[in-house]
Amino acid sequence: MALQQTALIPDALRPGDDGYDDATQTFFATGSPALVVRPRGPEEVAAAIAHAVSRDLAVSVRSGGHSPVGHSTDTGGMVIDLRYFDSVEVIDEARRLVRVGGGATWGGVAAALSPFGWALTAGDTSDVGVGGLTLGGGIGWMVRRYGLAIDNLVGARLVTPDGRLLAASPDEHSELFWALRGGGGNFGVVIDFDFIAQPISTVQFGTVTYRLDDAGALITRWRDAMRAAPDQLSSTLALPPARSADEEPCGFVLLCYADGTEAGEAGEADIDAAIDPLVELGTVTMAEITECSYSEILENAVRPSGFRLVTRNALVSRLDDDVIAEICRLHSAAIPTAVAVRSLGGAFARVPNDATAFAHRDAEAMIVVLLMLPDTATDAEVSDALIPWQALSRRGIGTYINFQGSATASDVAAAYPPATYARLAAVKAAYDPENRFARNHNITPARSGAPTHV
Ligand code: FAD
């Protein structure tokens, strides 16, 4: 549907305006765009895009503002800030069909669904946006039980670069719908997403803190426990940066057990049998596992100040001994480095690789590192600091765009195997042939039906 555009661009902030500084700062970056627009409906989104096209402004789309590359702000361009697209609406209660605005946060979604006894598997952080997380895939606390966020997506509506409002689903613009599930913000501005929510009101959630006598042994035992775990159990093993010599090093096993059977709750014995192995991996210094509502387990992220944060990730097909040795090497490197290993498998792995644009379903785990450099670190210092990471990265089968703090051609190639990329490039050519939406892990539009690979 072609939209009736408003004559004026909506709610625009320019440098010097009240609120401009706040609107241009994101979790990882501070930008200086020529303007920030805050549309309130699809017509205003279309007007904003038309304005950017007419002045040849780069377009950044902002939902929750957590892009590790800083893609949702820019220098000299236009930011389309979706803060007013934050509704959560139940469309069909019998099907648990929920329509969520493209600028909502996952904390807002969890709070809105809680009274229904429902939840949507997404991420682990309350203020991360629905837009960015969903378009990249969405790996959350129930990933082994319900797959990625996109595995529960049944439709989306977006404003395309030429100002049309399109509905994408398995029945309409189905290739576009395939591409939206993992292909990032390449195709237009998604104003809302339709999900099927899960029948989850409470989960068993908690953290087990281990003394870190031997990081390799802890990771190996955690891996073995997760290989034997039921789908209901998802877990992350987190190694904080090595601290001062007088502090005892520790590792954390975070876990979430989500039952979700329509028939009723799993018995206490089933839950204990699933969780107990994660409490027996070494010397426990603290363990806190409780039943709580799903919305309670999402927390706001706090950005540590005084650091230049650099994040990278690798999806590994097997968390084998060599990979574990590389994780340990990296964690003990001179630069303070936090490592998180997220278990995958279960429902995540049962989706075929070509069913969505997120194509690495064979991964057993995702390894995410966060390097904490001084905030004065130069790009050259960042490159040096990443050298130890390369050895681990080479052992991966690919990358997840949402935890990748860079968006080079090789990052894009690591996220999308050649056949996936070719298909994305064809969709890009059909919906954004001029590459107006380029501030993302960018797909080059295929030319004359001949897809390219970076
Ligand atoms: P934004 O910066 O607002 O958006 C990122 C990009 O997505 C935009 O530049 C744009 O290209 C695109 N985009 C966003 N919304 C739209 C839209 N409506 N239409 C079109 N394009 C759009 N990921 C996980 O999978 N699981 C986690 O548990 C998780 N935890 C995280 C915790 C923290 C503290 C951080 C910083 C990140 C985390 N991530 C997680 C990664 C997260 O998925 C990405 O950073 C994602 O891009 C954030 O989405 P956002 O909407 O907040 O970001």
Side-chain angles (χ1 to χ4, degrees):
M1 174 177 100
L3 288 167
Q4 183 76 43
Q5 287 170 23
T6 56
L8 295 173
I9 53 163
D11 193 352
L13 295 173
R14 293 184 170 76
D17 287 348
D18 278 353
Y20 173 88
D21 291 344
D22 179 45
T24 55
Q25 187 143 8
T26 68
F27 193 82
F28 280 96
T30 301
S32 50
L35 78 167
V36 179
V37 296
R38 302 192 290 198
R40 289 178 183 270
E43 296 80 8
E44 293 189 351
V45 173
I49 297 172
H51 181 82
V53 169
S54 70
R55 286 168 177 70
D56 205 19
L57 294 173
V59 177
S60 298
V61 181
R62 176 179 182 145
S63 174
H66 282 69
S67 157
V69 193
H71 275 148
S72 44
T73 191
D74 62 40
T75 302
M78 172 197 275
V79 174
I80 301 179
D81 180 340
L82 296 174
R83 68 180 57 208
Y84 298 126
F85 289 81
D86 63 349
S87 60
V88 182
E89 199 187 337
V90 175
I91 303 288
D92 180 342
E93 193 161 346
R95 292 176 60 206
R96 297 191 303 275
L97 176 62
V98 180
R99 178 162 291 173
V100 181
T105 61
W106 286 109
V109 174
L113 298 186
S114 185
F116 293 88
W118 302 344
L120 260 173
T121 188
D124 58 10
T125 301
S126 181
D127 50 5
V128 162
V130 170
L133 181 135
T134 303
L135 293 168
I139 299 176
W141 282 127
M142 300 190 288
V143 62
R144 286 168 47 80
R145 178 73 176 94
Y146 294 112
L148 295 172
I150 50 172
D151 300 336
N152 302 283
L153 187 69
V154 293
R157 294 190 304 159
L158 73 165
V159 180
T160 50
D162 59 2
R164 285 179 298 157
L165 176 64
L166 298 183
S169 72
D171 306 318
E172 290 173 277
H173 298 279
S174 57
E175 273 299 284
L176 176 60
F177 182 59
W178 169 86
L180 290 174
R181 289 174 292 158
N186 269 286
F187 308 100
V189 177
V190 180
I191 57 163
D192 48 43
F193 297 89
D194 290 350
F195 292 99
I196 302 292
Q198 295 103 36
I200 289 285
S201 52
T202 63
V203 294
Q204 308 287 327
F205 184 81
T207 304
V208 187
T209 308
Y210 285 96
R211 211 171 66 201
L212 202 62
D213 306 316
D214 178 346
L218 179 63
I219 302 170
T220 305
R221 289 190 209 114
W222 173 80
R223 173 202 66 192
D224 293 344
M226 287 313 298
R227 281 182 180 170
D231 292 359
Q232 282 88 344
L233 189 68
S234 297
S235 173
T236 296
L237 188 151
L239 303 178
R243 295 183 287 182
S244 62
D246 51 341
E247 279 179 298
E248 200 169 72
C250 61
F252 302 107
V253 170
L254 298 99
L255 63 91
C256 177
Y257 182 96
D259 176 16
T261 51
E262 298 271 12
E265 292 176 12
E268 221 168 277
D270 298 325
I271 298 172
D272 289 348
I275 292 177
D276 283 353
L278 291 188
V279 189
E280 296 162 356
L281 304 175
T283 307
V284 175
T285 58
M286 202 192 301
E288 217 181 338
I289 300 163
T290 52
E291 181 172 352
C292 47
S293 74
Y294 176 79
S295 62
E296 279 176 80
I297 72 175
L298 304 186
E299 292 183 349
N300 275 347
V302 180
R303 192 191 191 290
S305 58
F307 294 101
R308 179 165 175 183
L309 301 178
V310 177
T311 185
R312 295 289 184 276
N313 76 89
L315 294 154
V316 291
S317 59
R318 290 190 65 76
L319 199 51
D320 62 25
D321 295 348
D322 292 339
V323 171
I324 292 172
E326 290 297 351
I327 295 173
C328 295
R329 246 193 295 281
L330 195 65
H331 181 244
S332 56
I335 305 285
T337 303
V339 182
V341 190
R342 294 195 186 202
S343 63
L344 298 171
F348 164 90
R350 284 194 289 276
V351 176
N353 276 328
D354 63 355
T356 65
F358 182 107
H360 295 297
R361 303 289 183 154
D362 305 325
E364 178 179 18
M366 175 175 66
I367 301 158
V368 182
V369 298
L370 183 71
L371 276 61
M372 300 169 72
L373 291 135
D375 60 4
T376 52
T378 61
D379 289 349
E381 286 165 339
V382 169
S383 299
D384 286 349
L386 282 167
I387 290 170
W389 163 250
Q390 303 309 334
L392 179 50
S393 162
R394 275 194 293 275
R395 294 186 181 277
I397 51 170
T399 288
Y400 172 42
I401 59 167
N402 278 358
F403 278 117
Q404 192 65 1
S406 56
T408 62
S410 61
D411 291 321
V412 175
Y416 306 115
T420 309
Y421 187 89
R423 205 168 154 188
L424 283 169
V427 178
K428 181 80 172 174
Y431 294 94
D432 184 17
E434 306 295 327
N435 201 11
R436 294 286 175 196
F437 287 79
R439 288 201 44 80
N440 42 49
H441 285 82
N442 197 232
I443 306 295
T444 307
R447 293 198 200 299
S448 345
T452 53
H453 191 246
V454 283

